[in-house]
Amino acid sequence: MRLATVWGSGTAVGKTLVSAGLMRAAAARSLPSLFLKPVQTGVPDSDGAFVARAAGCQHVVGEHAAAAGLSTSGPSPSAASATPPPQRALTLFAWRPAVSPHVAVEREGRGVSDAELRRATVAEIDRFAAALAASPMADGLPDALALVETAGGVASPSPSRSLQCDALPTALPTAKLAEAPRATETPLPALLVGDAALGGISATVCAAELLRSRGHALHEVVLFEPGGGGGLGNAEAIGAALGVRVRSLPAPPPLPEPLDGWWEEVGAHFAELLDGLPRACTPLP
């Protein structure tokens, strides 16, 4: 199974586009996949619902998110598609105010501790992995994908006021497989969506270094640039500073223009991004 956490150097840099692109790439191969949004504010806006529409799967909401007004939507999996587990998007915790999570808790209540946030996130990935392992088709599954998408930027506050990079897990418990007999944790690779605008080099490098300082394994940086070009030189400068691949993609058309043509244009990029995610040991159920 391939795992990743999608981070952003700031708000509205394109995290959900990256998540949706990866889920679409998995859907094109009929791979079981899970998109997990632990924290959502600004309901009725929903990143999980956007990803579900883009990938053609169901969006499921937890009890806490349902209390904010979100509801399960999209196609229900049939009995045949439930084994192996189908694609789905899941939102765990949500609030109505379109503000930072800690402010949303101040206004609306229903606070969530960092321990609750981590426990719920890990539990959902474990359930997904356990369902994969229990499937009669498990031996024939070529791959699977589990994504966690953060809210805001790397240093945006969590619902408890701690920094998000401190609140979310850096790794998952893993089975002691024969090929990794001493492994007790599987790192969650970090995909960082950076800023292609003027000033974005500093913001992206600072976000990446903060992730690393907190123990997150930086895998790759993604930038959305007009025309997919590098007119400001951000990709080259960020890559040189961080020593990782920086993938430049053409920016999507402005809303409310449809994204159909853009998805076709960038589909191969997301397929390659999916292929590049490291395979993980199986999380313990």
Side-chain angles (χ1 to χ4, degrees):
M1 181 167 68
R2 299 179 192 269
L3 297 167
T5 302
V6 181
W7 297 86
S9 61
T11 299
V13 291
K15 296 187 303 295
T16 306
L17 290 172
V18 169
S19 297
L22 286 168
M23 289 288 284
R24 284 173 62 91
R29 303 177 190 180
S30 299
L31 299 182
S33 50
L34 171 69
F35 167 82
L36 185 60
K37 184 77 174 184
V39 174
Q40 174 75 58
T41 61
V43 172
D45 286 347
S46 169
D47 294 332
F50 176 87
V51 169
R53 288 193 300 271
C57 67
Q58 187 177 41
H59 176 223
V60 179
V61 302
E63 290 184 10
H64 188 284
L70 287 180
S71 58
T72 294
S73 60
S76 298
S78 65
S81 65
T83 305
Q87 278 202 315
R88 71 169 182 160
L90 173 61
T91 302
L92 293 176
F93 305 104
W95 293 264
R96 296 180 186 88
V99 293
S100 182
H102 72 294
V103 177
V105 170
E106 288 178 358
R107 296 183 183 179
E108 194 175 300
R110 300 184 301 113
V112 175
S113 70
D114 289 353
E116 289 177 284
L117 187 62
R118 283 191 293 270
R119 185 164 53 247
T121 300
V122 171
E124 290 300 335
I125 297 175
D126 282 349
R127 285 191 192 99
F128 179 65
L132 285 174
S135 167
M137 299 174 63
D139 292 340
L141 289 175
D143 214 339
L145 172 68
L147 290 178
V148 178
E149 183 182 291
T150 61
V154 169
S156 294
S158 71
S160 73
R161 290 181 169 272
S162 67
L163 299 184
Q164 197 164 195
C165 55
D166 293 326
L168 288 170
T170 61
L172 299 172
T174 60
K176 295 183 178 180
L177 303 179
E179 63 268 28
R182 298 181 182 177
T184 57
E185 287 191 326
T186 290
L188 271 169
L191 286 177
L192 177 62
V193 184
D195 190 345
L198 186 63
I201 296 171
S202 177
T204 305
V205 170
C206 287
E209 294 296 359
L210 183 57
L211 282 174
R212 285 172 165 170
S213 74
R214 297 313 204 263
H216 297 275
L218 182 63
H219 175 68
E220 189 168 322
V221 176
V222 178
L223 297 179
F224 290 106
E225 300 188 271
L232 297 178
N234 288 25
E236 293 80 3
I238 292 167
L242 298 177
V244 297
R245 175 169 181 174
V246 179
R247 186 183 301 270
S248 293
L249 301 181
L255 295 175
E257 290 185 35
L259 295 178
D260 301 40
W262 183 77
W263 284 128
E264 290 185 12
E265 181 182 3
V266 297
H269 293 285
F270 284 114
E272 185 180 71
L273 182 58
L274 174 61
D275 288 336
L277 291 177
R279 282 191 170 92
C281 296
T282 305
L284 289 169

